[in-house]
Amino acid sequence: MGKINLLNDYNSSAHPHVIDALRWTEDKRFPGYGTDAETAAAAESVRHLIGRAVADVHFLVGGTQTNLTAAAAFLRPHEAVISPASAHVNIHETGAIEAVGHKILTVPAENGKVRAEDIRAVIEGHTDEHMVKPRMIMISQASELGTVYTLRELRALRDICDKHRLYLYIDGARLGYALASTACDIELGELASVADAFYLGGTKNGLLFGEALVICNPELRADFRYHAKQHGALLAKGFLLGVQFRAILEDGLYFDLARRANAMAYRLASGLTEAEVPLLASAETNQVFAHIGYRQLHRLEEKVLFERWGREDEKGAPIRFVTTWQTTEAEIDEVLDML
Amino acid sequence: MGKINLLNDYNSSAHPHVIDALRWTEDKRFPGYGTDAETAAAAESVRHLIGRAVADVHFLVGGTQTNLTAAAAFLRPHEAVISPASAHVNIHETGAIEAVGHKILTVPAENGKVRAEDIRAVIEGHTDEHMVKPRMIMISQASELGTVYTLRELRALRDICDKHRLYLYIDGARLGYALASTACDIELGELASVADAFYLGGTKNGLLFGEALVICNPELRADFRYHAKQHGALLAKGFLLGVQFRAILEDGLYFDLARRANAMAYRLASGLTEAEVPLLASAETNQVFAHIGYRQLHRLEEKVLFERWGREDEKGAPIRFVTTWQTTEAEIDEVLDML
Amino acid sequence: MGKINLLNDYNSSAHPHVIDALRWTEDKRFPGYGTDAETAAAAESVRHLIGRAVADVHFLVGGTQTNLTAAAAFLRPHEAVISPASAHVNIHETGAIEAVGHKILTVPAENGKVRAEDIRAVIEGHTDEHMVKPRMIMISQASELGTVYTLRELRALRDICDKHRLYLYIDGARLGYALASTACDIELGELASVADAFYLGGTKNGLLFGEALVICNPELRADFRYHAKQHGALLAKGFLLGVQFRAILEDGLYFDLARRANAMAYRLASGLTEAEVPLLASAETNQVFAHIGYRQLHRLEEKVLFERWGREDEKGAPIRFVTTWQTTEAEIDEVLDML
Amino acid sequence: MGKINLLNDYNSSAHPHVIDALRWTEDKRFPGYGTDAETAAAAESVRHLIGRAVADVHFLVGGTQTNLTAAAAFLRPHEAVISPASAHVNIHETGAIEAVGHKILTVPAENGKVRAEDIRAVIEGHTDEHMVKPRMIMISQASELGTVYTLRELRALRDICDKHRLYLYIDGARLGYALASTACDIELGELASVADAFYLGGTKNGLLFGEALVICNPELRADFRYHAKQHGALLAKGFLLGVQFRAILEDGLYFDLARRANAMAYRLASGLTEAEVPLLASAETNQVFAHIGYRQLHRLEEKVLFERWGREDEKGAPIRFVTTWQTTEAEIDEVLDML
């Protein structure tokens, strides 16, 4: 019997509908590099979801790839990114943004989210040509701690961007979970109206792989495919991305899966709270961060897969549980029973 | 009824065994980023194929990605690549090598292949710090024109590399076709012994996607995964690459598919020769380049998909046919009947 | 007694007026990074010379630095440079353009100069996102062979640029010599009206160091100082550049020096022709390229410093003589006497 | 009458001996790019100063240029720099390190200096290929706040470097001031033995421009001139650097100038303390940081040039005074009289 897997949301294959869709391609032929009809239809579905007729949609393979290609395409060499210090793009992408030449200026992120005043301080501190020029805010929705930016918070960031000529880029590796969150007061269309660009993540929610980058701001659109190709991000069999996204977006499956995963996270969080295990952030999406004592930790580790997350102290360790559409109530209850 | 598709070798999905293998993953969980057992087994299969116990094998998603990550990982900033002027890496990768900072020095490529004396001339012409330092020869096997480097030719390049401290990197997007060619006098193990690094291409021969980069030279191994991650080339669900490669390498399927495709190319080439359509290079693998008169061209274009390939003149156009394991004798014969 | 020095035009210090000007700074204080009054006045002098009130003028230290900073500032990552294959920027700057991420597409250069039709062929061959996008032509005036582009030739290049949305950048390391050439039918103002940017070289004509980059096209102006700083090209004591350029531009000294050097080159070229030493390009500025037999070569090498230039054959060697404002008639005559 | 200039240490020309040395070059000819005898002699002087026969010495034009060329030359793409958050290289070089592809990981800097334990925490936090690999510590001596690392502090950093295979790079823009400081317990030779590379800054202490980069670690030496050229950092008339360094290093002039400047800073600091103006860091070299009330601030601003330095509050402003060898006792006393 395997352990209960709450390790991450990229440890299993795709949803059966997605595999079916891939099976369907077997005896067909497609134009290369995403110029096929399936991909066009998937892009149309995304535009439909955001309620916009004209946004550019590009399907890429993974999140780091999408982030670095966007930064390379959108910024001039002296322009910098502002991101939370804890951001994936700052810590866990092996310097991908710097490798395409751009500095990341970091701000603190309480509860996973940046605050307008910290952003403003960075902008005000960069005043002349001896310093980089802040140009793009990169945040993720849901945040690194699984929390969700509210419409008000996003609009505050948008205001700063408008005032200082910055772009707002939203890393949506877990955007499905955010939109399906009970804490979320924003729809995809609103998100598309505050962001200059964002991506809708597939890898972590039902696909084998794939991220749908949406470029809302027309001034960022030109020649994006050149940049993608230059970074090895233009998949030869691009139709595989179109086919998968069509399958997952059909009948709201993408959001159903996210909702299911979130529900399991909420169940887990509420059980942890009952068991007096302190949470490190409010459990708003499919990630639950807790600080757990060593005795309970060791008991859990025998039967459950999860990650230790940060600096441990004498009392215990911060840990992360991640749920997916495959997580079951029985699994959650079994975990809770151990505590 | 669709047209006969001789357009390229990345226009269809995967071989059924590969799709089956993906289906098999559906109810399983895997460690991330290629640290799973399937990927380890696939790497072992590759090492077995080349008869070496210790080469490093990394599975990446596509060819441009593999080439650019290798150049970034293997070279210091002032070091340059030598490649044929016609090379994919020089023309058709949107400056990916330059984008990671390296100049490409080009040499002519007769019949698709570089000659040792041209390489030598480049090396001799780069003598001091005002010029880049040639450091890595990048060729492809099969070549851009579908021809195959012989063991003697590869050894001549190896000798230059040894003499001048250069690396030899072989782009193997179509390496299966090359090794399965009747013109080929080299086995994979020998190739691995002349190359410092090469990749065994999956995308163009039976996989959904995937290239197996083999680093033979120990001094190039350190920290390769860092470079892959930095370029967005470390697939989150890396097990998808392992699973596919295991499926295609089993029982020699990879080479069977290539052999089948080559046979169809030979049949086509021999028919073209009989029909007095001049070939532009000897048809040694799954690509057939011909110069065709406009009347025949237009007739073909009604029922066959293929690419125009280069500069046309008053007599006709250079074109390219590409066969795959899915190409049938009936299709080839139908094409030949039109001429 | 030293040898006669015809080796290059950067082997001596500055003109006495320039040294005097530096001496004058000794007891003064200046704002940093070129924000001083001397630099502003020098920029004004340059604008006056080109008859334009609004061009941006930036003073940088050297030619490679100026070229690479311009390419970094003016181009997006997927955009490429077109230059003659023989260009300094292509061969003798250690891949500086590629190091800031841009591919150089080369064209042949007969008599040192590119031809419009070759440029056009490159542009027409780059049609989609799998290839880089040609965006900036980089030529030098005078050319690598010391020849001078005529107004008609420059206008032909301008036409291509206008038609295909390319920039025309002119490396003016030896622009003084070109403008002072008897073969030149263009004034600085006209050059500024065909070029999007160019630089007026000081290092090779009377200064200790310094190049004046002129950005004519307003869309290339934004934030240039950021790029300069990022590449270490914003000299802390920028006033040294302003002071030197003021001194050399005063009363036309810059052009006087160039004219003097050119005259010596013409005298040498005409003597060589009389002595039946074949010239490799018409001697239009301060460089004279000749093909010289080995006997004469060895005789010359005893008393004269000059460079061998390119591939030698059984008959003799291509060589280069370079004159400067310090070259005397007596020196030229002594050289000619040896032949 | 001009104001008293305590603005920075790059606002005046060179020491008269240096100007004399330049005047001496006027009627001479030199080989290009630093291959001349003056430069060789200057390098020898530097090696003599550090008591080492074999260190490589390269003369570059400016500090940012030296730092970025060193980072480009010494690091592989996935390797990162660790520096104090307040470092010039982190804040005031317009992302130069990131522009050559490397992330800077920052640590706090109390009193301007990094602490071993903070460095260690960064190293321990970077454990796998999803994160950059810390590889080079970049500090400056004197620090950004004018303080001086002691031998013990430097050895603690060296120990970390040895243990974790890191390089220690010391930005010596103001190294003369540090070595001439009464707070300094280290000689240049000792510094050279703890650092893998460092530079001895000329621009801020007596030269027109110029920094002498010393590469102590043999594994960092290969091909450095290629990197310099690639970044436009190989001055055509390199002899200007050699000549200047020879002049300033002769008879200890370089250190005399620094000592004089330091003495003025100490006089100023002691006067400020007497006047109960709080210092922000101990005044160990030629920079004095103080927090000054608005009334005194405005009075000073009428007659003295200095910089405001950081965030002001209701009580007053942090400011910086910088002394040089040209600063006189009378000037300092006049400043103190105003308080």
Side-chain angles (χ1 to χ4, degrees):
Chain A
M1 254 300 299
K3 291 181 177 183
I4 296 169
N5 195 316
L6 298 173
L7 199 56
N8 59 50
D9 36 18
Y10 49 85
N11 55 43
S12 77
S13 185
H15 188 272
H17 287 201
V18 171
I19 301 277
D20 287 343
L22 290 171
R23 176 68 81 185
W24 167 87
T25 64
E26 256 188 287
D27 56 354
K28 301 188 179 51
R29 300 294 187 104
F30 301 87
Y33 298 105
T35 61
D36 62 283
E38 294 300 310
T39 299
E44 199 50 43
S45 296
V46 172
R47 275 189 291 269
H48 181 77
L49 268 177
I50 63 173
R52 282 174 165 228
V54 292
D56 276 10
V57 181
H58 299 276
F59 297 98
L60 288 89
V61 171
T64 297
Q65 184 183 79
T66 305
N67 291 339
L68 78 88
T69 306
F74 299 164
L75 300 176
R76 293 181 66 205
H78 63 304
E79 294 176 343
V81 163
I82 300 176
S83 89
S86 58
H88 198 267
V89 82
N90 185 45
I91 298 180
H92 286 104
E93 302 188 352
T94 318
I97 301 300
E98 291 85 357
V100 295
H102 304 286
K103 192 178 191 69
I104 300 180
L105 301 164
T106 60
V107 289
E110 212 161 310
N111 208 21
K113 297 188 278 183
V114 302
R115 287 175 314 186
E117 61 259 40
D118 292 321
I119 302 273
R120 218 173 282 123
V122 167
I123 295 167
E124 282 163 9
H126 286 79
T127 52
D128 66 42
E129 68 265 27
H130 299 274
M131 289 173 269
V132 293
K133 195 170 189 172
R135 192 68 206 277
M136 182 156 76
I137 299 174
M138 290 183 103
I139 55 169
S140 55
Q141 173 82 318
S143 80
E144 296 300 320
L145 284 181
T147 52
V148 175
Y149 285 90
T150 64
L151 184 52
R152 203 177 55 78
E153 289 166 338
L154 289 173
R155 284 205 178 132
L157 294 178
R158 179 72 260 162
D159 285 347
I160 293 177
C161 288
D162 287 343
K163 189 164 169 198
H164 299 281
R165 280 200 68 228
L166 266 69
Y167 303 126
L168 181 58
Y169 174 93
I170 299 177
D171 176 328
R174 295 192 177 95
L175 186 50
Y177 300 111
L179 293 166
S181 167
T182 54
C184 186
D185 64 351
I186 185 168
E187 299 205 348
L188 194 54
E190 287 166 312
L191 187 118
S193 76
V194 296
D196 293 282
F198 69 93
Y199 76 84
L200 192 65
T203 302
K204 290 177 175 163
N205 189 30
L207 300 195
L208 288 178
F209 58 87
E211 323 295 324
L213 175 67
V214 182
I215 307 180
C216 310
N217 182 339
E219 75 183 58
L220 296 179
R221 281 178 202 156
D223 295 345
F224 186 82
R225 283 172 62 84
Y226 283 84
H227 297 277
K229 177 72 183 186
Q230 185 172 75
H231 294 288
L234 209 55
L235 193 65
K237 300 187 182 176
F239 62 86
L240 295 171
L241 290 159
V243 161
Q244 290 185 84
F245 265 98
R246 282 201 77 178
I248 203 78
L249 292 179
E250 206 177 2
D251 299 329
L253 177 58
Y254 180 77
F255 297 103
D256 286 346
L257 299 185
R259 211 170 289 118
R260 224 185 293 171
N262 285 352
M264 292 306 102
Y266 303 159
R267 187 181 190 94
L268 176 61
S270 124
L272 289 168
T273 303
E274 261 174 59
E276 297 186 345
V277 175
L279 301 187
L280 300 174
S282 93
E284 303 181 354
T285 54
N286 71 322
Q287 297 184 90
V288 178
F289 295 85
H291 191 279
I292 196 164
Y294 285 114
R295 220 170 32 149
Q296 291 177 310
L297 180 73
H298 298 311
R299 211 180 315 140
L300 276 183
E301 285 182 333
E302 282 171 42
K303 298 206 176 161
V304 188
L305 292 169
F306 55 91
E307 278 205 59
R308 298 202 184 192
W309 200 261
R311 195 170 291 224
E312 307 181 3
D313 57 27
E314 71 287 354
K315 287 197 194 148
I319 59 171
R320 181 184 76 158
F321 299 109
V322 186
T323 61
T324 72
W325 60 275
Q326 293 174 298
T327 308
T328 64
E329 288 194 7
E331 287 176 326
I332 296 299
D333 294 345
E334 203 180 327
V335 170
L336 292 173
D337 282 348
M338 292 180 222
L339 299 172
Chain B
M1 255 302 298
K3 292 181 175 182
I4 295 168
N5 195 316
L6 299 173
L7 200 54
N8 58 50
D9 35 19
Y10 48 85
N11 56 44
S12 76
S13 185
H15 186 274
H17 287 200
V18 171
I19 302 277
D20 288 344
L22 290 171
R23 177 68 81 186
W24 168 86
T25 65
E26 256 187 286
D27 55 355
K28 303 190 177 50
R29 300 295 187 103
F30 301 87
Y33 298 105
T35 60
D36 62 284
E38 295 300 310
T39 298
E44 199 50 43
S45 297
V46 172
R47 275 190 291 268
H48 181 77
L49 268 178
I50 62 173
R52 283 176 164 227
V54 293
D56 276 10
V57 181
H58 299 275
F59 298 97
L60 288 89
V61 171
T64 297
Q65 183 182 80
T66 306
N67 290 339
L68 77 88
T69 306
F74 299 163
L75 300 177
R76 293 181 65 204
H78 64 303
E79 294 176 342
V81 163
I82 299 176
S83 89
S86 58
H88 198 267
V89 82
N90 185 45
I91 298 180
H92 285 103
E93 301 188 352
T94 318
I97 300 301
E98 291 86 357
V100 295
H102 304 287
K103 193 179 190 68
I104 300 180
L105 302 164
T106 60
V107 289
E110 214 161 308
N111 208 22
K113 298 187 277 183
V114 302
R115 286 175 315 186
E117 62 258 41
D118 292 320
I119 302 273
R120 218 173 282 123
V122 166
I123 295 167
E124 283 163 9
H126 286 78
T127 51
D128 65 43
E129 68 265 27
H130 299 273
M131 290 173 269
V132 291
K133 194 170 189 172
R135 193 69 205 277
M136 182 157 75
I137 299 174
M138 290 183 104
I139 56 169
S140 55
Q141 172 84 316
S143 81
E144 296 300 320
L145 285 181
T147 51
V148 175
Y149 284 89
T150 63
L151 184 52
R152 204 177 54 80
E153 289 166 338
L154 290 173
R155 285 206 177 131
L157 295 178
R158 179 72 260 162
D159 285 348
I160 293 178
C161 289
D162 287 342
K163 187 163 169 197
H164 298 282
R165 277 199 70 226
L166 267 67
Y167 303 125
L168 180 59
Y169 174 92
I170 299 176
D171 177 328
R174 295 191 177 96
L175 185 51
Y177 301 111
L179 293 166
S181 166
T182 55
C184 187
D185 64 351
I186 183 168
E187 300 206 348
L188 193 54
E190 286 166 313
L191 187 118
S193 76
V194 296
D196 293 282
F198 69 93
Y199 77 85
L200 191 66
T203 301
K204 291 178 174 163
N205 190 30
L207 299 195
L208 288 178
F209 59 87
E211 323 295 325
L213 175 67
V214 182
I215 306 180
C216 311
N217 182 339
E219 75 182 58
L220 297 180
R221 281 177 202 158
D223 294 345
F224 187 82
R225 283 172 62 85
Y226 284 83
H227 297 278
K229 177 71 183 185
Q230 185 174 74
H231 293 289
L234 210 54
L235 193 65
K237 300 187 182 175
F239 61 86
L240 296 170
L241 290 160
V243 161
Q244 290 186 83
F245 265 98
R246 282 201 78 178
I248 203 79
L249 292 179
E250 206 177 2
D251 298 329
L253 178 58
Y254 180 76
F255 297 104
D256 287 346
L257 299 184
R259 212 169 289 117
R260 225 185 293 170
N262 285 352
M264 292 305 102
Y266 302 160
R267 187 180 189 97
L268 176 61
S270 125
L272 289 169
T273 302
E274 262 176 57
E276 297 185 346
V277 174
L279 301 187
L280 300 174
S282 93
E284 303 180 354
T285 54
N286 72 321
Q287 298 185 89
V288 179
F289 295 85
H291 192 280
I292 196 164
Y294 285 113
R295 220 170 34 151
Q296 290 178 311
L297 179 74
H298 297 312
R299 211 179 315 140
L300 277 183
E301 286 183 332
E302 281 173 41
K303 298 206 176 160
V304 187
L305 291 169
F306 56 90
E307 278 205 61
R308 298 200 184 194
W309 201 260
R311 194 169 291 224
E312 307 181 3
D313 58 28
E314 72 286 355
K315 286 197 194 148
I319 60 171
R320 182 185 75 159
F321 299 108
V322 187
T323 61
T324 73
W325 60 276
Q326 294 174 300
T327 308
T328 63
E329 288 194 5
E331 287 177 326
I332 296 300
D333 294 345
E334 202 179 327
V335 170
L336 292 173
D337 282 350
M338 291 180 223
L339 299 172
Chain C
M1 256 298 301
K3 291 181 178 182
I4 296 170
N5 195 317
L6 299 174
L7 200 56
N8 58 50
D9 36 19
Y10 48 85
N11 56 43
S12 76
S13 185
H15 187 271
H17 288 200
V18 172
I19 301 276
D20 288 343
L22 290 171
R23 175 70 79 185
W24 168 87
T25 64
E26 257 187 285
D27 56 353
K28 304 192 174 49
R29 300 294 188 105
F30 302 87
Y33 298 106
T35 60
D36 61 284
E38 295 301 308
T39 299
E44 198 50 42
S45 296
V46 172
R47 274 189 293 268
H48 181 75
L49 268 178
I50 63 172
R52 284 177 162 225
V54 292
D56 276 10
V57 181
H58 299 277
F59 297 96
L60 288 87
V61 171
T64 297
Q65 183 183 79
T66 306
N67 291 339
L68 78 87
T69 306
F74 299 163
L75 301 176
R76 294 181 64 207
H78 64 303
E79 294 176 342
V81 163
I82 299 176
S83 89
S86 57
H88 197 265
V89 82
N90 185 45
I91 297 180
H92 286 104
E93 301 188 354
T94 318
I97 301 300
E98 292 85 357
V100 295
H102 304 286
K103 193 180 190 68
I104 300 179
L105 302 164
T106 60
V107 290
E110 214 161 308
N111 209 21
K113 297 188 277 184
V114 302
R115 286 175 315 186
E117 62 258 40
D118 292 321
I119 301 273
R120 218 173 282 124
V122 166
I123 295 168
E124 282 163 9
H126 286 79
T127 52
D128 66 42
E129 68 265 27
H130 299 275
M131 288 171 271
V132 292
K133 195 171 190 172
R135 194 67 206 279
M136 182 155 78
I137 299 174
M138 289 182 105
I139 55 169
S140 55
Q141 173 82 317
S143 79
E144 296 299 320
L145 285 181
T147 53
V148 175
Y149 284 90
T150 64
L151 184 52
R152 202 176 56 79
E153 288 167 339
L154 289 173
R155 284 205 177 132
L157 294 178
R158 179 73 258 163
D159 285 347
I160 293 178
C161 288
D162 287 342
K163 189 164 169 198
H164 298 282
R165 281 200 66 229
L166 266 68
Y167 303 125
L168 181 58
Y169 174 93
I170 298 176
D171 177 328
R174 295 192 177 95
L175 186 50
Y177 300 111
L179 293 167
S181 167
T182 55
C184 186
D185 64 352
I186 185 168
E187 300 205 347
L188 193 55
E190 287 166 312
L191 187 119
S193 76
V194 297
D196 293 282
F198 70 93
Y199 77 84
L200 192 66
T203 301
K204 290 177 175 164
N205 189 31
L207 300 194
L208 288 177
F209 58 88
E211 322 295 325
L213 175 68
V214 182
I215 307 181
C216 311
N217 182 340
E219 74 183 60
L220 296 179
R221 281 178 202 158
D223 295 344
F224 186 82
R225 283 173 61 85
Y226 283 82
H227 296 278
K229 177 72 183 186
Q230 185 172 75
H231 294 289
L234 211 54
L235 192 66
K237 300 188 182 176
F239 61 86
L240 296 172
L241 291 159
V243 161
Q244 289 185 84
F245 265 99
R246 282 200 78 178
I248 203 79
L249 291 179
E250 206 177 1
D251 298 329
L253 177 59
Y254 181 76
F255 297 104
D256 288 344
L257 298 185
R259 211 169 291 117
R260 224 184 295 171
N262 285 353
M264 292 306 103
Y266 302 160
R267 186 180 189 94
L268 175 61
S270 126
L272 289 168
T273 302
E274 260 173 60
E276 295 187 346
V277 175
L279 301 187
L280 299 173
S282 91
E284 303 180 355
T285 54
N286 71 321
Q287 297 185 91
V288 178
F289 295 85
H291 191 279
I292 196 163
Y294 284 114
R295 224 171 27 152
Q296 291 179 309
L297 180 73
H298 296 313
R299 211 179 314 141
L300 278 183
E301 286 182 333
E302 281 170 43
K303 298 207 177 162
V304 187
L305 291 169
F306 56 90
E307 277 206 60
R308 299 201 184 194
W309 201 260
R311 193 170 293 223
E312 308 182 3
D313 56 28
E314 71 285 355
K315 287 195 194 149
I319 60 171
R320 182 184 76 158
F321 299 108
V322 186
T323 61
T324 73
W325 60 275
Q326 293 174 297
T327 309
T328 63
E329 287 194 8
E331 287 176 326
I332 296 299
D333 293 344
E334 201 179 329
V335 170
L336 291 174
D337 282 349
M338 293 180 221
L339 299 172
Chain D
M1 255 301 299
K3 292 181 176 182
I4 296 170
N5 196 318
L6 299 173
L7 200 55
N8 58 49
D9 35 19
Y10 49 85
N11 56 43
S12 77
S13 187
H15 188 272
H17 288 200
V18 172
I19 301 277
D20 288 343
L22 290 171
R23 176 70 78 184
W24 168 85
T25 66
E26 257 187 287
D27 56 353
K28 302 191 177 50
R29 300 295 187 102
F30 302 87
Y33 298 106
T35 60
D36 62 283
E38 295 300 310
T39 299
E44 199 50 42
S45 296
V46 172
R47 274 188 293 267
H48 181 77
L49 268 178
I50 62 173
R52 283 178 163 226
V54 293
D56 276 10
V57 182
H58 299 276
F59 297 96
L60 289 87
V61 171
T64 298
Q65 183 183 79
T66 305
N67 291 338
L68 78 87
T69 305
F74 299 163
L75 300 176
R76 293 182 65 205
H78 64 303
E79 295 176 341
V81 163
I82 299 177
S83 89
S86 58
H88 198 265
V89 82
N90 186 44
I91 297 180
H92 285 105
E93 301 188 354
T94 317
I97 301 300
E98 292 85 357
V100 295
H102 304 286
K103 193 180 189 69
I104 300 179
L105 301 164
T106 60
V107 289
E110 215 161 306
N111 209 21
K113 297 188 276 183
V114 302
R115 286 174 316 186
E117 61 258 40
D118 293 320
I119 301 273
R120 218 173 282 123
V122 167
I123 295 167
E124 282 164 9
H126 287 78
T127 52
D128 66 43
E129 68 265 27
H130 299 275
M131 289 173 269
V132 292
K133 194 170 190 172
R135 193 69 205 278
M136 183 156 76
I137 299 174
M138 289 183 104
I139 55 169
S140 55
Q141 173 83 316
S143 80
E144 296 299 320
L145 285 180
T147 52
V148 175
Y149 285 91
T150 63
L151 184 53
R152 203 178 54 80
E153 288 166 338
L154 289 173
R155 285 206 177 131
L157 294 178
R158 179 73 259 163
D159 285 347
I160 293 178
C161 289
D162 287 343
K163 187 164 169 199
H164 297 281
R165 279 199 69 227
L166 267 69
Y167 303 126
L168 180 59
Y169 174 94
I170 298 176
D171 177 328
R174 294 191 178 96
L175 185 50
Y177 301 111
L179 293 167
S181 168
T182 55
C184 188
D185 64 352
I186 184 168
E187 301 205 348
L188 194 55
E190 286 165 312
L191 186 117
S193 77
V194 296
D196 293 282
F198 69 93
Y199 77 85
L200 191 66
T203 301
K204 290 176 174 162
N205 190 30
L207 299 195
L208 289 177
F209 57 88
E211 323 295 325
L213 175 67
V214 182
I215 307 181
C216 312
N217 182 338
E219 74 182 60
L220 296 179
R221 283 178 201 159
D223 294 345
F224 186 82
R225 282 173 62 86
Y226 283 83
H227 296 278
K229 176 72 183 185
Q230 186 173 74
H231 293 289
L234 210 54
L235 193 66
K237 300 187 182 176
F239 61 85
L240 297 171
L241 291 159
V243 162
Q244 290 185 83
F245 265 99
R246 282 199 79 178
I248 203 78
L249 292 179
E250 206 176 0
D251 298 328
L253 177 59
Y254 180 77
F255 297 103
D256 286 345
L257 299 184
R259 212 168 290 118
R260 224 184 295 171
N262 285 353
M264 293 305 103
Y266 302 160
R267 186 179 189 95
L268 176 61
S270 124
L272 289 169
T273 302
E274 262 174 57
E276 295 185 349
V277 175
L279 301 187
L280 300 173
S282 91
E284 302 180 355
T285 53
N286 71 322
Q287 298 184 89
V288 179
F289 296 85
H291 191 280
I292 195 164
Y294 285 114
R295 223 172 27 152
Q296 291 178 308
L297 180 74
H298 296 312
R299 210 178 316 140
L300 277 185
E301 285 182 333
E302 280 170 43
K303 298 208 177 159
V304 187
L305 292 169
F306 56 90
E307 277 205 63
R308 298 202 185 194
W309 201 261
R311 195 170 292 223
E312 307 182 2
D313 57 28
E314 71 286 353
K315 287 197 194 148
I319 60 171
R320 182 185 74 158
F321 299 108
V322 186
T323 61
T324 72
W325 59 276
Q326 294 175 298
T327 308
T328 63
E329 286 195 9
E331 287 176 326
I332 296 298
D333 292 345
E334 200 179 330
V335 170
L336 292 173
D337 282 348
M338 292 180 222
L339 299 172

